[in-house]
Amino acid sequence: MSTATTTPRRELGTGRTAGTRRTLEKGPSGWLAVPALAFFMLFAILPLLGVLFLSFTSWDGLGEIRLDGLSSWNTVLADPVTGNALLVTAKIMFFSFIVQAPISLLLGVFTAASQKYRAALAVLYFVPLLLSSAAVAIAFKALLDPNFGLGPGLGLPFLAQDWLGNSDLVLFVVVFVIAWQFVPFHTLIYQGGVRQIPASLYEAAQIDGAGRIQQFFNITLPQLKYTMITSSTLMVVGSLAYFDLIFVLTAGGPGYSTRLLPLHMYLTGFKANDMGAASALGVILVVIGLALALFLQRLGGKNRNASQLEGA
């Protein structure tokens, strides 16, 4: 008596079963995303809906929550501090981007090479990434102190300025500290992107007589298009989440010089005990973040998710 066995049919020359081919063509099953979507609904969508509901209420954080229509929205939109917070947020976002993007790109290209000394330097570059934002803010606040900081200690009058108390300087100091902490993260992204570029492109360029600068502008930059979009999205949208570093460093001052939107939302909710207005500010923050993320993703085109690797 013979026993019939069924083996998966394999395609000639590929070693793949028909089922494997269908999986590669259609992608993995959508059921694999269910656990992630469940967590996203639980920890992102539901709290966001709660914030949207609170924006139509009047609540001091302790007493009864009362529906109040558009009162909180009218208060927020008529408050000149909200307009100033939006302007400060836009300035920090813009200056952070134009400082961090080119430095991260150049450092990423530099550290992507295989020399050992570059690997050692890359480790040093990434040290700020290991520190908490609050610790970074406390350290820079001590270093920039006009009486006991780095300037008086080294006897350098130029450094002995009131960096955090001068409204003309404090914004640029904040941008510098943010760049010091987050450039290593974006450098890491660019480093990974550069290492994915096929070496055959550079070899062909060298045969054609292209120099390093020509290779950078004609091969490296075009191949890093999607890496730039990813890094820029994280950089721009992440600017809307700066809170702890600025809160510890300047507390939004002097005056309203560094009171950006997340900090304004916190102070409105937990200092002024107006959770309705703070929730309205939170909704504005989310809408701005989603709009910016969508715009930056659109720059990548419809084939952004397609692999750039040969054969993939």
Side-chain angles (χ1 to χ4, degrees):
M1 181 177 177
S2 62
T3 303
T5 57
T6 303
T7 58
R9 188 176 63 184
R10 294 182 179 277
E11 298 176 5
L12 293 176
T14 63
R16 294 173 176 169
T17 65
T20 303
R21 184 182 177 186
R22 284 196 297 271
T23 301
L24 291 175
E25 290 176 347
K26 297 180 179 179
S29 171
W31 289 103
L32 296 176
V34 170
L37 289 176
F39 276 100
F40 184 71
M41 287 288 294
L42 184 63
F43 295 107
I45 300 300
L46 288 180
L48 185 58
L49 292 176
V51 170
L52 182 61
F53 169 75
L54 286 176
S55 68
F56 298 103
T57 66
S58 175
W59 186 38
D60 61 2
L62 294 175
E64 181 185 358
I65 301 175
R66 294 171 306 186
L67 287 173
D68 204 13
L70 296 175
S71 176
S72 297
W73 284 92
N74 292 332
T75 302
V76 165
L77 296 177
D79 187 359
V81 179
T82 302
N84 179 76
L86 285 169
L87 181 61
V88 171
T89 304
K91 286 181 179 177
I92 290 178
M93 185 186 300
F94 173 74
F95 287 116
S96 295
F97 178 78
I98 63 173
V99 170
Q100 291 184 54
I103 295 176
S104 301
L105 172 62
L106 294 176
L107 284 177
V109 173
F110 176 77
T111 56
S114 57
Q115 290 91 341
K116 290 184 179 179
Y117 78 94
R118 297 194 186 194
L121 289 175
V123 173
L124 295 177
Y125 292 149
F126 297 144
V127 168
L129 197 60
L130 306 175
L131 305 176
S132 73
S133 297
V136 171
I138 292 172
F140 272 96
K141 195 171 184 178
L143 290 172
L144 297 174
D145 190 289
N147 299 313
F148 308 103
L150 196 61
L154 296 177
L156 298 174
F158 172 74
L159 290 177
Q161 299 189 48
D162 190 6
W163 296 97
L164 300 178
N166 188 328
S167 58
D168 295 328
L169 295 175
V170 67
L171 185 71
F172 300 102
V173 174
V174 168
V175 170
F176 171 79
V177 177
I178 290 172
W180 185 87
Q181 185 180 17
F182 292 105
V183 159
F185 172 71
H186 296 283
T187 298
L188 190 63
I189 294 176
Y190 280 114
Q191 184 190 56
V194 172
R195 287 179 175 171
Q196 294 296 316
I197 300 175
S200 57
L201 295 179
Y202 293 103
E203 292 169 357
Q206 288 176 349
I207 293 173
D208 291 340
R212 289 186 178 276
I213 295 178
Q214 289 175 307
Q215 293 176 28
F216 176 77
F217 283 104
N218 295 314
I219 297 176
T220 305
L221 285 184
Q223 292 291 316
L224 289 177
K225 174 185 174 184
Y226 298 124
T227 305
M228 290 180 189
I229 292 173
T230 301
S231 175
S232 300
T233 303
L234 294 173
M235 209 175 289
V236 171
V237 178
S239 299
L240 298 174
Y242 294 148
F243 168 74
D244 45 358
L245 188 146
I246 297 177
F247 180 68
V248 175
L249 193 63
T250 67
Y256 296 104
S257 301
T258 56
R259 185 162 168 159
L260 73 172
L261 202 56
L263 186 56
H264 180 46
M265 179 183 66
Y266 169 79
L267 295 175
T268 301
F270 294 97
K271 294 291 184 181
N273 295 324
D274 190 349
M275 293 297 177
S279 299
L281 290 168
V283 173
I284 293 173
L285 202 58
V286 170
V287 170
I288 293 174
L290 289 176
L292 288 172
L294 183 62
F295 170 72
L296 290 170
Q297 294 301 307
R298 289 277 183 182
L299 293 180
K302 295 182 180 179
N303 296 323
R304 182 180 181 277
N305 293 325
S307 174
Q308 290 181 283
L309 296 180
E310 293 178 350

